[in-house]
Amino acid sequence: METVIPRLLRDARHIAVLTGAGVSAESGIATFRDAQTGLWAKYRPEDLATPEAYQRNPRLVWEWYQWRRQVLSGVSPNPGHFALTEMEKRITGRGGQFTLITQNVDGLHRRAGSRNIVELHGNIGRVKCFAIGTIVETWEIAEDVPPRCPNCGGMLRPDVVWFGETLPPAALAQAIDAAETCDFFISAGTSTLVQPAASLPWLALQHNAFVLEINPNETPLTSFASAALHALSGEALPELVAAAFG
Ligand code: NAD
């Protein structure tokens, strides 16, 4: 690891991190660009994760999310998630600021102990009413699928941002603010193809932050980043934290 990167990280006032599906890949969660498996192999996520798909076939979409929740219940956060938890502790422990912006809906950052998390695309563990948007904390598994909203009787859906939907405004504002005010920005495990999250590293660059990309593959960001580590996040993040904080 180049020595300047850990030093800049250690001295940063505000670190913002953007994570994508790649950070959960080493926990065994497929990225969208990997093929679906088993029963679901014949569907493209883009044909399941839209309001239109849900209106067309709510049972199918609900069952896909139930299957994804089941997969998630059998996996654990990986060393990349834990390294980010450690990074947050080290930075906030000496009065700095740390913002973890994630496009992942799997809740693994929270399970790993991260605290200041901005969930740009929602969380698969929550549901909300399709009709009125009210968040519902618990729901009954019933014959009738999808289950119904206890308030209005409307159909329940996962509290995630589907293709074609806008991001939660408060979360997006927080993410933009972090990108504009941080001095060290890490883009890890994201293809930087899905907007508006993809523009956050560029925003950080415009505001003079050091931008580090961690991804085994090239992305549109790679040649513009201040530095790029072509590595798995589950390996590179723990190494980075060890080199910076020892
Ligand atoms: P993406 O599938 O577009 O890209 C994943 C990126 O991760 C790729 O660039 C790939 O090279 C990289 N990658 C793969 N393995 C890696 C590893 N071990 N370490 C580091 N990088 C690795 O994912 P995206 O950019 O997050 O955007 C796709 C959308 O899919 C997002 O909106 C996200 O909400 C959604 N999604 C979320 C999950 C999840 O919650 N775990 C899973 C699939 C998709």
Side-chain angles (χ1 to χ4, degrees):
M1 172 127 2
E2 293 164 64
T3 50
V4 66
I5 301 176
R7 185 172 50 74
L8 287 173
L9 188 72
R10 187 170 48 244
D11 295 343
R13 256 182 319 103
H14 181 180
I15 298 174
V17 183
L18 172 68
T19 63
V23 165
S24 294
E26 287 154 273
S27 292
I29 309 287
T31 67
F32 267 2
R33 278 156 241 290
D34 289 337
Q36 298 244 79
T37 50
L39 257 184
W40 301 99
K42 60 184 169 183
Y43 300 101
R44 294 186 319 149
E46 291 87 336
D47 295 334
L48 294 166
T50 67
E52 295 75 27
Y54 183 77
Q55 272 168 316
R56 217 171 24 243
N57 194 339
R59 171 180 280 268
L60 176 79
V61 174
W62 180 266
E63 286 179 344
W64 183 55
Y65 279 95
Q66 280 295 86
W67 169 75
R68 290 180 61 192
R69 288 187 190 104
Q70 216 169 15
V71 170
L72 266 174
S73 67
V75 307
S76 307
N78 67 58
H81 295 106
F82 289 116
L84 290 172
T85 308
E86 184 60 23
M87 196 184 290
E88 179 172 22
K89 277 194 197 138
R90 297 300 191 115
I91 295 296
T92 56
R94 59 147 175 74
Q97 210 181 329
F98 182 90
T99 311
L100 176 51
I101 307 157
T102 188
Q103 299 166 85
N104 295 343
V105 298
D106 55 33
L108 288 177
H109 286 303
R110 200 169 298 282
R111 280 170 58 189
S114 286
R115 300 176 78 95
N116 191 25
I117 307 171
V118 179
E119 288 178 331
L120 276 185
H121 293 168
N123 190 309
I124 199 171
R126 283 192 308 262
V127 302
K128 65 182 180 183
C129 175
F130 187 71
I132 55 173
T134 319
I135 299 287
V136 176
E137 297 292 343
T138 53
W139 66 94
E140 285 188 14
I141 307 290
E143 288 276 295
D144 190 19
V145 173
R148 298 281 164 172
C149 171
N151 300 312
C152 75
M155 289 188 298
L156 293 180
R157 55 162 283 182
D159 184 24
V160 297
V161 177
W162 280 334
F163 292 102
E165 294 186 316
T166 52
L167 272 59
L172 183 58
Q174 243 183 306
I176 291 172
D177 182 62
E180 287 180 346
T181 57
C182 69
D183 45 355
F184 198 113
F185 187 100
I186 301 175
S187 176
T190 172
S191 56
T192 56
L193 289 172
V194 180
Q195 290 294 355
S199 60
L200 293 170
W202 270 273
L203 202 54
L205 280 170
Q206 279 163 17
H207 286 77
N208 302 317
F210 185 92
V211 174
L212 171 66
E213 179 178 62
I214 300 176
N215 196 315
N217 300 304
E218 294 267 320
T219 76
L221 176 66
T222 310
S223 56
F224 295 92
S226 318
L229 298 174
H230 292 289
L232 304 178
S233 52
E235 294 173 3
L237 283 168
E239 278 173 24
L240 185 61
V241 169
F245 306 104

